[in-house]
Amino acid sequence: MKISKAVIPVAGLGTRFLPGSISIPKSMIPVFDRPPIHFCVEEASKAGIDHIVIVASEGQHAVLKYFEERPDLEKAVSDKKNFEMLSLLQEISKMADISVVIQKEQLGLGHAILQAQSSLGNHPFAVLLPDDLILNDNPTIGGMCSVSEQTEGMVVAIRQVSKESIPNLGIVELGQDYGRTVEILSMIEKPSLESAPSNMAIVGRYILPAEIFENIRNTSPGSLGEIQLTDSMTALLKTTACTGYRFPGAHFDVGTPLGMLEASLHIGMTRYGFDFEQSSLKRNRNYL
Ligand code: G1P
């Protein structure tokens, strides 16, 4: 079935970005020149997903405002003959049909997804986490939509991670391997190194069937005392297959200031051909 809706949860407190995130939602702090949520909406839109449900907390008005038309800014850049920026501004407000639901309490990723249920109906849908920035002209979520059309099961993006990262992520156990895709036998959220079934982690892109909501409702708080999506998916694995998707492209964890710096440098250097090795930035370590 074609995936036409996606959920983007952004209600977290963004404690790793304090004090910057006191008054600016984490998903709105720019990576180089545009916020993480921009990349997610753009990725979904390129994949043909035309309705996006943002799960935000009270007071995160800046998130919705970002996607509204801004005739004043359009006029200002047009007066300056910056037609490239004019068309970017026009594209942003047209990328997708966006609605917002409010998550009153931050009880975990599973709980955040549950808040979007009434906006999604009884169809499979995509989830994109803005903390995971993936740069690729072919949208990762689009590749995953194609897989789900064939398997009609769950799909998660996966990648190999360092030992140090394992206790911070969802880790999967792999089964039959087909190269780009692989069967997922089990998954565990933020395991200890001893209990981790592999070094392959879930990256924040999912295709989920509507049955996940029932499983989220029945999920008790798990790792960090939160209702974890990984635990709800584990329960659903009893009846519904899950495929891991090894995605091409550059991936950055922009959920940490250092990851965001790395992504910003990558984007800036790629866009402007900036020679990092030769730059004063590299020589003057105080900058970094
Ligand atoms: C969430 C998921 C985790 C996944 C990670 C990817 O964790 O629960 O399974 O590996 O996103 O970014 P969080 O970053 O919310 O702790």
Side-chain angles (χ1 to χ4, degrees):
M1 184 184 280
K2 186 182 172 326
I3 309 292
S4 61
K5 295 188 182 186
V7 185
I8 304 182
V10 300
L13 294 173
T15 52
R16 276 178 287 201
F17 283 88
L18 287 171
S21 56
I22 289 176
S23 55
I24 305 170
K26 178 179 68 168
S27 63
M28 293 305 298
I29 297 176
V31 182
F32 195 68
D33 66 351
R34 57 200 69 182
I37 194 156
H38 175 116
F39 293 95
C40 279
V41 173
E42 189 180 31
E43 182 182 328
S45 165
K46 275 189 188 168
I49 292 171
D50 47 27
H51 186 161
I52 291 179
V53 184
I54 296 178
V55 181
S57 60
E58 309 262 14
Q60 288 187 325
H61 307 292
V63 180
L64 189 55
K65 274 203 134 340
Y66 183 82
F67 296 97
E68 286 172 1
E69 279 181 29
R70 284 294 300 268
D72 55 335
L73 287 178
E74 287 177 22
K75 180 171 183 318
V77 295
S78 171
D79 288 350
K80 290 190 171 151
K81 305 212 177 323
N82 186 349
F83 299 115
E84 207 178 312
M85 184 54 70
L86 176 63
S87 66
L88 177 59
L89 290 177
Q90 289 168 339
E91 268 168 40
I92 290 172
S93 60
K94 293 189 181 68
M95 279 198 291
D97 173 14
I98 295 182
S99 58
V100 173
V101 296
I102 300 297
Q103 184 186 18
K104 294 208 176 95
E105 291 174 286
Q106 276 66 71
L107 300 180
L109 179 57
H111 179 260
I113 304 303
L114 188 57
Q115 310 311 303
Q117 180 175 14
S118 58
S119 314
L120 294 171
N122 201 23
H123 308 290
F125 59 95
V127 176
L128 297 93
L129 306 187
D131 277 358
D132 288 296
L133 172 55
I134 304 173
L135 300 174
N136 186 354
D137 287 341
N138 295 319
T140 300
I141 204 71
M144 295 172 63
C145 288
S146 307
V147 173
S148 81
E149 278 164 27
Q150 286 159 21
T151 62
E152 296 191 354
M154 298 184 272
V155 187
V156 284
I158 53 168
R159 72 169 286 190
Q160 193 175 328
V161 293
S162 67
K163 226 159 102 178
E164 298 71 52
S165 310
I166 286 177
N168 302 321
L169 297 165
I171 304 294
V172 294
E173 180 189 357
L174 305 181
Q176 184 83 34
D177 203 325
Y178 305 97
R180 172 75 65 214
T181 61
V182 54
E183 180 190 15
I184 301 292
L185 299 176
S186 70
M187 55 183 84
I188 173 167
E189 184 65 21
K190 306 193 196 323
S192 62
L193 279 186
E194 298 72 49
S195 55
S198 73
N199 62 353
M200 294 297 285
I202 298 174
V203 172
R205 301 289 183 277
Y206 308 77
I207 305 290
L208 298 170
E211 288 76 35
I212 195 70
F213 296 119
E214 195 50 41
N215 288 276
I216 297 175
R217 260 191 218 91
N218 294 328
T219 299
S220 312
S223 166
L224 308 179
E226 296 179 350
I227 298 172
Q228 295 290 355
L229 183 60
T230 306
D231 294 342
S232 313
M233 291 173 73
T234 297
L236 188 55
L237 258 176
K238 289 184 192 125
T239 54
T240 306
C242 182
T243 305
Y245 180 78
R246 293 189 179 97
F247 57 92
H251 168 242
F252 301 91
D253 173 8
V254 297
T256 68
L258 267 179
M260 194 171 258
L261 175 63
E262 196 191 344
S264 294
L265 286 171
H266 179 97
I267 292 169
M269 285 155 66
T270 310
R271 199 178 307 158
Y272 297 107
F274 177 62
D275 188 344
F276 183 62
E277 290 303 319
Q278 295 305 318
S279 76
S280 59
L281 195 66
K282 181 81 182 278
R283 273 178 266 129
N284 182 357
R285 285 277 170 191
N286 290 338
Y287 259 101
L288 294 173

